[in-house]
Amino acid sequence: MEIVLSKILSQIRRQKDKLTSQMMRPAEEAYQMTLFLNEMLGALKSQVTQDGFKNEQQEIDFFKNIKSQIMGKLIFYNKVFRIETTCPVNNGTLHQNYYENQFKALQAEYMECICDGDFYRYYRAGRTDRDHLYFRLGQINYHDGLKSAVFEIDLSFSTYYDNKIARIVANELLYTYLLNKVNPEENPDMVLVGGKTNKDISWTNSQNALIELIYALYASSSVSHGNIGIRQLALIFQVLFRTPLNDIHHAFHRMKTRSGSRTAFLDQLKISLEEYMDKDL
């Protein structure tokens, strides 16, 4: 049995990009990713149960580096789904307080359950000397006084410590997610122009025109070499121009079937630019 982490992560990224391009609500996207990852984990469990491992190193690599990454992302998306479906409002002080409280709860959980322990230091130090004890089936040492979660896991598909790494992975992903909710300007992946610099900037054409422009930039990979999702790109323009874009995915599909030119705004841009160039002749 050979399971390659890079291939697994590539499959997860493709699924994420596919869902992002459909402009789903965060809760729906998180739900769909939860289903996808749960199915992936189930398929791997069947494969492991049927084929086993060729050697000790393959077993260690699977539980330390592969299963823990999938499980970590699964836990993360499930938490995002729960957070987004219990958020009381869409904006305002109550909305902000909700995410701040979620962020504080995450920090408390991290301090209490994750970072204060020998295993966390072992994992963070990149050590491998105890991998044969931590990441092989049937090696659990109950004299270590493990948390009761050890009795709730499937010991035919977990070494207990792979679950601990998964929790670390999930919490780090959730930390970034909630940090962006509480302080969007601290997220280096977001290009947010805030404060006084964009207070007088506004989009004065139609929403459809802006959506057409956004999709053209996305389709041509003109921003960040195409390494940016359509939803994130749309969010940048919404923040820059302080204009909401509702249901961008369906608006785009209406453009695909509208009569006349499907790229009316881009056509007009070309005409306007050529007329402007002619003025200087």
Side-chain angles (χ1 to χ4, degrees):
M1 180 194 69
E2 184 176 1
I3 301 172
V4 182
L5 178 59
S6 59
K7 183 178 179 180
I8 292 288
L9 295 179
S10 178
Q11 291 174 347
I12 295 174
R13 281 195 297 269
R14 285 199 299 270
Q15 177 67 8
K16 176 68 166 61
D17 291 343
K18 176 183 175 182
L19 296 176
T20 298
S21 68
Q22 296 176 19
M23 296 300 295
M24 294 180 174
R25 293 180 299 107
E28 179 61 21
E29 183 175 311
Y31 174 71
Q32 293 298 331
M33 285 300 297
T34 299
L35 295 180
F36 174 79
L37 291 166
N38 191 49
E39 183 177 348
M40 174 181 282
L41 204 59
L44 286 178
K45 180 179 180 180
S46 298
Q47 188 176 350
V48 167
T49 302
Q50 178 178 340
D51 300 337
F53 300 99
K54 292 180 180 179
N55 50 52
E56 176 180 318
Q57 187 54 47
Q58 188 183 69
E59 180 178 2
I60 290 172
D61 182 61
F62 176 78
F63 287 110
K64 183 177 184 179
N65 301 315
I66 298 176
K67 185 201 167 189
S68 58
Q69 288 293 323
I70 301 170
M71 177 67 78
K73 289 177 172 57
L74 175 58
I75 294 171
F76 163 68
Y77 282 111
N78 185 56
K79 283 189 174 182
V80 169
F81 175 74
R82 293 173 59 186
I83 288 172
E84 293 296 338
T85 52
T86 55
C87 187
V89 291
N90 291 327
N91 49 50
T93 302
L94 188 59
H95 178 266
Q96 182 74 7
N97 290 342
Y98 172 79
Y99 285 110
E100 289 178 356
N101 289 335
Q102 291 289 333
F103 190 70
K104 291 176 183 177
L106 177 67
Q107 290 178 308
E109 177 186 347
Y110 184 76
M111 294 300 296
E112 179 181 355
C113 304
I114 294 181
C115 71
D116 186 20
D118 292 337
F119 177 75
Y120 181 81
R121 289 187 287 273
Y122 173 89
Y123 174 69
R124 278 290 173 229
R127 290 168 53 188
T128 60
D129 52 287
R130 296 181 63 84
D131 281 2
H132 64 291
L133 299 176
Y134 288 144
F135 303 110
R136 295 198 67 203
L137 295 173
Q139 299 295 315
I140 295 176
N141 182 4
Y142 295 98
H143 281 108
D144 289 340
L146 306 176
K147 292 183 180 296
S148 58
V150 69
F151 303 110
E152 301 171 3
I153 62 177
D154 182 355
L155 296 181
S156 68
F157 190 58
S158 177
T159 70
Y160 175 70
Y161 290 96
D162 58 296
N163 280 33
K164 291 180 76 68
I165 292 181
R167 293 285 174 182
I168 295 172
V169 171
N171 276 38
E172 289 179 347
L173 290 171
L174 196 60
Y175 178 90
T176 301
Y177 181 84
L178 290 174
L179 184 62
N180 183 51
K181 293 289 187 179
V182 175
N183 293 309
E185 68 277 3
E186 294 187 21
N187 186 347
D189 294 328
M190 292 302 296
V191 182
L192 299 181
V193 183
K196 299 179 181 179
T197 56
N198 73 326
K199 66 178 181 178
D200 296 324
I201 300 175
S202 62
W203 181 259
T204 54
N205 211 308
S206 68
Q207 279 197 7
N208 281 345
L210 182 56
I211 292 171
E212 189 177 317
L213 175 62
I214 291 170
Y215 267 96
L217 294 172
Y218 175 73
S220 62
S221 299
S222 297
V223 180
S224 299
H225 304 287
N227 297 318
I228 184 172
I230 185 66
R231 188 171 68 189
Q232 187 176 3
L233 188 59
L235 180 58
I236 291 171
F237 278 86
Q238 289 181 76
V239 173
L240 175 62
F241 294 121
R242 296 194 174 193
T243 182
L245 294 175
N246 301 318
D247 209 0
I248 180 174
H249 179 65
H250 286 90
F252 174 69
H253 280 277
R254 287 194 295 271
M255 292 177 193
K256 292 167 63 175
T257 57
R258 66 188 177 188
S259 59
S261 174
R262 297 189 297 176
T263 57
F265 177 63
L266 296 179
D267 295 342
Q268 184 58 51
L269 279 183
K270 181 175 181 294
I271 294 172
S272 298
L273 179 57
E274 288 177 342
E275 289 178 349
Y276 184 79
M277 289 175 172
D278 292 339
K279 291 179 181 180
D280 295 332
L281 293 179

